[in-house]
Amino acid sequence: MTAPDHPGPRPPQRADQGPQAPAAAQATEAPAGPDNSGGDAGDAFWAAADGAERKRKRRWPRVLIAIGVFVALLVAGVGGLLWQRQSSYNGNIDRIKGVMPTDQANRPGPNVEGTENWLLVGSDSRADAPTTGEGNQVWKPGQQRTDTIMLLHLPADRKKAYIISFPRDSWVEIPGYGNQKINAAFSFGGPKLLIETMENLTGIRIDHYGAIDFEGFKAMTDALGGVTVNIKQSVYDPARKKQWTAGKQKLNGEEALLFVRQRYNLPNGDFDRIKRQQAFLSALAKQAAARGTLTNPLKLDRFLSALSKSISVDEGVSAGDLRSLALSMRSVRVSDVTFMTLPHKGTGMRGKQSVVFVDGAKAKQLFDAVKTAQMQDYVKQHGGGDNLGTVS
């Protein structure tokens, strides 16, 4: 399934892209409907009895794909194992104190009742050991930036989910630092400053925060026995001397890290790199929801243990919150989830920095739709959904 790009010039590939190059997918429009990943939206999650009960139960764990980077997987895991090791998994989750902004006067007002917004980030510390979850090193001043930044919006009825990716090199105002790349906020002031920056940019109040390091992806991938991605065309990664062959590829944990980290030699540089990350996350979620995983207690336990040890959330997220969220989203299907990218005008230079220019007018329309809980109408009017079936 293909769709036109968001308006705005196509960002050129840069031969000199370095560690701080943009990392976001170009927005594409895709009509609501079948799963972009190529799977059947009605595939069973639970091995239930025949009849209506089976049909009902096979839908809700597809919330995995909806929650994006890691919260989705966490929600499905905790929600699906209410009777099995809930306390153990919940105890593995690292909760970060003092993440949410405390200056309420300068924050956006409350969201529409019943809606919920999560800021989801992935660390690009490239550490040998995890820096989130039980790694317990969520942020060190000047040593980490956010490789992936996503805003998850959940409507009050929990029938759909919307995930908006923000290019990490988006040129925005960071409170106290002036105009900078958005991912610099995490380096300057950790999760709290990043949340303040996002709220300042969007006017949307962030309810919860979650983070995961790439090493967490590796552990979860291996726990599942690998995940499968579909590569559009053969490509060589000169930085890591890795050849990727066109077609479906099953990746182990180490290969998954190479796949999501490649930025050189891709047609659209870091924009394609972010699409790879989105596609990998969808594949990870789909594999976690596969019947073979759920019916294998050892594999499922390894995956949920790796998951819960790899993530960090704000201290306001309780086990009860996660359980309630999972249950409230039990009817969400793949076709109900929309991945989007912040509208932008392409890339350019600010001094010696290559940056992404936000399309202020189009971004405001998107932010207003989130704030007023009108995302369904927004998608009908503007289209939405990054095509993750195959990636560069």
Side-chain angles (χ1 to χ4, degrees), residues 5 49-50 54 83-84 86-87 148 150 274 280 344-345 363 384:
D5 291 343
D50 292 335
R54 180 173 182 174
W83 64 91
Q84 181 185 357
Q86 177 182 338
S87 296
T148 303
M150 294 180 177
I274 257 299
F280 166 73
H344 59 82
K345 296 181 179 180

Short mmCIF file of all heavy atoms in Angstrom, two decimals, residues 5 49-50 54 83-84 86-87 148 150 274 280 344-345 363 384:
data_model
loop_
_atom_site.label_atom_id
_atom_site.label_comp_id
_atom_site.label_asym_id
_atom_site.label_seq_id
_atom_site.Cartn_x
_atom_site.Cartn_y
_atom_site.Cartn_z
N ASP A 5 3.24 11.64 -0.05
CA ASP A 5 3.91 12.22 1.11
C ASP A 5 3.15 13.44 1.58
O ASP A 5 2.34 14.02 0.87
CB ASP A 5 5.33 12.65 0.75
CG ASP A 5 6.21 11.46 0.49
OD1 ASP A 5 5.81 10.37 0.91
OD2 ASP A 5 7.28 11.64 -0.13
N ALA A 49 -12.24 -20.47 22.97
CA ALA A 49 -13.22 -21.41 22.48
C ALA A 49 -13.85 -20.87 21.20
O ALA A 49 -13.77 -19.70 20.90
CB ALA A 49 -14.30 -21.65 23.54
N ASP A 50 -14.53 -21.76 20.44
CA ASP A 50 -15.20 -21.34 19.22
C ASP A 50 -16.36 -20.41 19.56
O ASP A 50 -16.88 -20.41 20.66
CB ASP A 50 -15.74 -22.55 18.46
CG ASP A 50 -14.62 -23.39 17.89
OD1 ASP A 50 -13.52 -22.84 17.67
OD2 ASP A 50 -14.85 -24.59 17.68
N ARG A 54 -14.54 -16.36 21.29
CA ARG A 54 -13.24 -16.42 20.63
C ARG A 54 -13.02 -15.19 19.76
O ARG A 54 -11.94 -14.62 19.76
CB ARG A 54 -13.17 -17.69 19.78
CG ARG A 54 -11.84 -17.83 19.05
CD ARG A 54 -11.76 -19.16 18.36
NE ARG A 54 -10.48 -19.32 17.70
CZ ARG A 54 -10.10 -20.45 17.12
NH1 ARG A 54 -10.89 -21.50 17.12
NH2 ARG A 54 -8.93 -20.52 16.53
N TRP A 83 -3.41 -12.93 35.89
CA TRP A 83 -3.41 -14.05 36.84
C TRP A 83 -2.04 -14.68 37.00
O TRP A 83 -1.87 -15.63 37.73
CB TRP A 83 -4.40 -15.12 36.33
CG TRP A 83 -3.97 -15.72 35.04
CD1 TRP A 83 -3.20 -16.82 34.84
CD2 TRP A 83 -4.26 -15.21 33.74
NE1 TRP A 83 -2.98 -17.03 33.50
CE2 TRP A 83 -3.64 -16.07 32.80
CE3 TRP A 83 -5.00 -14.12 33.27
CZ2 TRP A 83 -3.73 -15.86 31.43
CZ3 TRP A 83 -5.09 -13.92 31.90
CH2 TRP A 83 -4.46 -14.78 31.01
N GLN A 84 -1.05 -14.21 36.28
CA GLN A 84 0.25 -14.91 36.27
C GLN A 84 1.41 -13.92 36.41
O GLN A 84 1.68 -13.13 35.54
CB GLN A 84 0.41 -15.69 34.96
CG GLN A 84 1.73 -16.45 34.88
CD GLN A 84 1.89 -17.11 33.53
OE1 GLN A 84 1.03 -17.05 32.69
NE2 GLN A 84 3.02 -17.75 33.33
N GLN A 86 1.96 -11.15 37.82
CA GLN A 86 1.77 -9.72 37.66
C GLN A 86 2.70 -8.92 38.56
O GLN A 86 3.32 -7.95 38.15
CB GLN A 86 0.31 -9.34 37.94
CG GLN A 86 0.06 -7.84 37.85
CD GLN A 86 -1.37 -7.49 38.18
OE1 GLN A 86 -2.26 -8.32 38.09
NE2 GLN A 86 -1.60 -6.25 38.58
N SER A 87 2.80 -9.33 39.82
CA SER A 87 3.64 -8.59 40.75
C SER A 87 5.10 -8.62 40.34
O SER A 87 5.82 -7.63 40.47
CB SER A 87 3.48 -9.17 42.17
OG SER A 87 2.17 -9.00 42.63
N THR A 148 14.48 8.44 19.18
CA THR A 148 13.10 8.31 18.74
C THR A 148 12.21 9.11 19.69
O THR A 148 12.32 8.98 20.91
CB THR A 148 12.65 6.83 18.75
OG1 THR A 148 13.52 6.07 17.92
CG2 THR A 148 11.22 6.69 18.27
N MET A 150 8.08 10.01 20.12
CA MET A 150 6.73 9.76 19.65
C MET A 150 5.71 10.29 20.66
O MET A 150 5.92 10.20 21.87
CB MET A 150 6.48 8.26 19.45
CG MET A 150 7.28 7.61 18.35
SD MET A 150 6.90 5.84 18.22
CE MET A 150 7.92 5.40 16.81
N ILE A 274 14.13 6.19 10.59
CA ILE A 274 13.01 6.20 11.53
C ILE A 274 11.90 5.28 11.05
O ILE A 274 11.24 4.60 11.83
CB ILE A 274 12.50 7.64 11.72
CG1 ILE A 274 12.99 8.18 13.05
CG2 ILE A 274 11.00 7.72 11.73
CD1 ILE A 274 12.51 7.40 14.27
N PHE A 280 10.22 -2.06 12.60
CA PHE A 280 10.73 -3.07 13.52
C PHE A 280 9.84 -3.18 14.75
O PHE A 280 9.52 -4.28 15.21
CB PHE A 280 12.15 -2.73 13.95
CG PHE A 280 12.62 -3.52 15.14
CD1 PHE A 280 12.93 -4.86 15.01
CD2 PHE A 280 12.71 -2.93 16.39
CE1 PHE A 280 13.34 -5.60 16.11
CE2 PHE A 280 13.11 -3.66 17.49
CZ PHE A 280 13.43 -5.00 17.35
N HIS A 344 6.38 18.66 8.18
CA HIS A 344 7.62 19.43 8.11
C HIS A 344 7.84 19.97 6.71
O HIS A 344 7.16 19.56 5.74
CB HIS A 344 8.81 18.56 8.53
CG HIS A 344 8.99 17.34 7.68
ND1 HIS A 344 9.64 17.35 6.47
CD2 HIS A 344 8.57 16.06 7.86
CE1 HIS A 344 9.64 16.15 5.94
NE2 HIS A 344 8.99 15.33 6.77
N LYS A 345 8.78 20.88 6.58
CA LYS A 345 9.11 21.50 5.29
C LYS A 345 10.44 21.00 4.75
O LYS A 345 11.03 21.63 3.87
CB LYS A 345 9.16 23.02 5.44
CG LYS A 345 7.82 23.64 5.82
CD LYS A 345 7.93 25.15 5.95
CE LYS A 345 6.59 25.77 6.30
NZ LYS A 345 6.68 27.26 6.43
N ALA A 363 1.27 21.72 11.32
CA ALA A 363 1.46 21.11 12.63
C ALA A 363 0.39 21.59 13.60
O ALA A 363 -0.12 20.80 14.42
CB ALA A 363 2.85 21.43 13.16
N GLY A 384 -3.58 9.88 6.74
CA GLY A 384 -2.60 9.64 7.79
C GLY A 384 -2.19 8.18 7.80
O GLY A 384 -2.92 7.30 7.39
#
